[in-house]
Amino acid sequence: MGHPAILTVDDDPSVSRAIARDLRRKYGEQYRIVRASSASEALDALKELKLRGGRVAVILADYRMPQMNGIEFLEQAMDLFPNARRALLTAYADTDAAIQAINVVDVDHYLLKPWDPPEEKLYPVLDALLDAWQVTGDREIEDIRVVGHRWSEPSYAIRDFLARNLVPYRWFASDEPEGRRLLEAAGVGAESVPLVVTADGRAMARPSTADVAEAAGLSTTPGRDFYDLIIVGGGPAGLGAAVYGASEGLKTLMVERQAVGGQAGQSSRIENYLGFPDGISGAQLTDRARRQAGKFDAEVVNTREVTGLRLDGSARTLTFADGGEISAHAILLATGVAYRPLSADGVARLTGSGVYYGSASTEGPACAGADVYIVGGANSAGQAALFFARYAKKVTLLVRGESLEASMSYYLIQQLGQTENIEVRTRCEVLSAHGDGHLQAITICENKGTLETTVECGALFIFIGAEPRTDWLGETVARDDKGFVFTGPDLLANGSRPAGWDRDRDPFYLECSVPGIFAAGDVRANSVKRVASAVGEGAMAVTLVHRYLEAQ
């Protein structure tokens, strides 16, 4: 098949020659440099490469080209070589267009012209793009296959796990021909769903998420016994700390029990995150952050539940549910929060069978033509309402409070009001959920109990409250009565340091009641519950970890 190609397209001959020259100088021995002077010429070159079985590693496209601009070109190029890494060449005035391209066609980078010297402004970007391409290349991705029943809670759990961890998979209903064939080939019946068939043909009936993670190639075992920094939780705060910790030379491990990205990773669209004026999905943001952490050699361990924390002299040791242990100089608690269970009758019985916590984006297409109800009044509920409105006949947002203004961002309230098939009903609660095998209806209480109605319901998504995942900490670190972790100034009572504090200084701003243990993001008492603030706290925590280590 020969060397993989790096394709560059620019209608300015001088720019086109210059970038081809710089690329050949650095990459000419390992890659074929293909130069085109127009988008149509570049597409013809890509089609020829496709027919000949060639591979394309990176595509560099100028934004301002006649007939077809760079974004439009990349949209078509993606159909031919979806795994090629993409960069946009722009003048300074086109920066807004470049940021838009990151959202529209998932451009990996943009380069400002001119890029002299290439050793500083071109080659480092290309090196990163080529490293990322080497992970998958243009090999055919062999998806995991999942056979299950739509209203099976274990089947939903496996689908949700794979989707949230960005693992490609194909879904087959157990009562459809291909699903039945896979069950028969595995020698099991419909009672054994979910059945997971790996890319190499291994069949697993009713597997655990740890089994699926291992089959999907997700890391489940730490590479060493001791680290400088261990981060518990893979949400925005944890990812921010992983990137900054590893990039600054700390041996860093991030432990996640369910899915990297946390609740933010489930968001269909985050529109108030700095640098993304057209918004970015939680999955995209998570994928970028995870790849960035990996670039700096931060380790990520999946499906490992932390159940305890103890002090071993200067070391801090975490214990896992399976009995394993791991130690570090410093620990960062970034476990976020979980949605509070809805205590209405029937909800627990139908969870995973029409009742879901969080966005559950895998259920979007299944909601086509249905009446969908969402419980909650914060941003996550509003984002979910906009997402499911694309599929459902109608989406009804049930809010317990008097209005949305106290809990939801203004831009989301405006968008909800402009979407025809979304209705917001305030002063409402769900009393019960009904259904035989799956959710079919819910009973709603309105106006503080003065009115009860039962309505048909195709799916119910719950976004209420925020419970920190900190029970496993026991009495090790100080927490408030809801379980949120006290840090920094909140630990000082009338100027006195917390009980047992053994340092001749006050706790650092994000430090817990035990030196060397820090907290960031939603799990921290009195934190701002926003993605940007969680990322910022994760980065800040690394600075404080350095201060702690320097004083050891």
Side-chain angles (χ1 to χ4, degrees), residues 487-489 491-492 497-498 501 505-513:
T487 58
L491 291 167
L492 302 178
R497 295 166 183 162
W501 187 260
R505 61 169 176 82
D506 290 345
F508 294 132
Y509 184 73
L510 298 178
E511 197 169 21
C512 302
S513 58

Side-chain angles (χ1 to χ4, degrees), residues 84-87 102 105-110 129 132 288 291:
R85 295 295 161 173
R86 301 173 286 278
I102 293 174
V105 291
D106 199 24
V107 167
D108 296 286
H109 208 284
Y110 67 90
L129 294 176
R288 291 170 187 272
R291 285 195 280 122

Side-chain angles (χ1 to χ4, degrees), residues 195-528:
L195 176 74
V196 175
V197 182
T198 64
D200 59 4
R202 181 162 54 99
M204 300 183 294
R206 299 182 69 88
S208 67
T209 53
D211 292 334
V212 175
E214 186 174 350
L218 300 175
S219 175
T220 59
T221 305
R224 60 177 68 220
D225 296 324
F226 197 92
Y227 292 83
D228 295 320
L229 171 64
I230 298 177
I231 304 158
V232 186
L239 285 165
V243 169
Y244 280 90
S247 69
E248 293 177 10
L250 297 179
K251 299 298 182 184
T252 303
L253 172 70
M254 185 172 72
V255 180
E256 171 55 48
R257 71 181 185 93
Q258 189 172 11
V260 173
Q263 288 186 9
Q266 293 180 282
S267 296
S268 57
R269 180 66 51 179
I270 302 171
E271 297 192 63
N272 58 353
Y273 191 74
L274 184 67
F276 294 91
D278 295 308
I280 184 170
S281 73
Q284 287 177 311
L285 189 62
T286 295
D287 181 51
R288 291 170 187 272
R290 184 171 60 180
R291 285 195 280 122
Q292 194 173 13
K295 170 185 174 181
F296 296 116
D297 295 325
E299 284 188 48
V300 179
V301 170
N302 301 271
T303 67
R304 296 298 294 272
E305 183 175 2
V306 178
T307 56
L309 170 62
R310 72 169 187 268
L311 311 181
D312 293 327
S314 62
R316 278 79 181 102
T317 299
L318 297 170
T319 57
F320 295 122
D322 61 4
E325 295 185 347
I326 193 78
S327 299
H329 290 301
I331 301 290
L332 175 64
L333 307 175
T335 49
V337 294
Y339 292 117
R340 191 173 68 243
L342 182 63
S343 59
D345 291 343
V347 166
R349 176 175 59 86
L350 295 171
T351 296
S353 302
V355 176
Y356 308 97
Y357 286 89
S359 186
S361 58
T362 56
E363 299 302 307
C367 293
D371 288 318
V372 169
Y373 285 79
I374 294 175
V375 182
N379 280 9
S380 54
Q383 290 161 352
L386 291 168
F387 172 75
F388 287 108
R390 304 176 197 167
Y391 303 95
K393 179 174 67 176
K394 183 179 180 181
V395 175
T396 302
L397 194 63
L398 302 177
V399 183
R400 185 175 183 178
E402 299 288 336
S403 69
L404 290 172
E405 277 71 13
S407 56
M408 188 178 292
S409 294
Y410 177 75
Y411 80 92
L412 273 176
I413 297 174
Q414 296 296 105
Q415 290 183 16
L416 293 176
Q418 295 165 4
T419 307
E420 292 184 358
N421 63 332
I422 293 179
E423 178 186 1
V424 178
R425 295 166 65 174
T426 58
R427 304 175 68 189
C428 285
E429 296 181 60
V430 175
L431 291 182
S432 56
H434 317 281
D436 183 11
H438 65 91
L439 179 68
Q440 294 169 306
I442 59 174
T443 298
I444 302 170
C445 166
E446 298 183 75
N447 297 323
K448 298 183 179 180
T450 61
L451 177 64
E452 291 185 14
T453 55
T454 298
V455 295
E456 291 185 0
C457 181
L460 178 68
F461 299 92
I462 301 168
F463 298 82
I464 58 171
E467 294 185 339
R469 297 167 174 163
T470 58
D471 290 346
W472 58 275
L473 289 169
E475 301 298 323
T476 307
V477 299
R479 298 177 290 152
D480 66 15
D481 56 358
K482 294 181 179 179
F484 291 95
V485 178
F486 284 125
T487 58
D490 290 337
L491 291 167
L492 302 178
N494 298 320
S496 299
R497 295 166 183 162
W501 187 260
D502 61 358
R503 304 298 163 101
D504 188 24
R505 61 169 176 82
D506 290 345
F508 294 132
Y509 184 73
L510 298 178
E511 197 169 21
C512 302
S513 58
V514 176
I517 301 177
F518 299 82
D522 290 359
V523 73
R524 193 175 66 83
N526 302 315
S527 65
V528 177

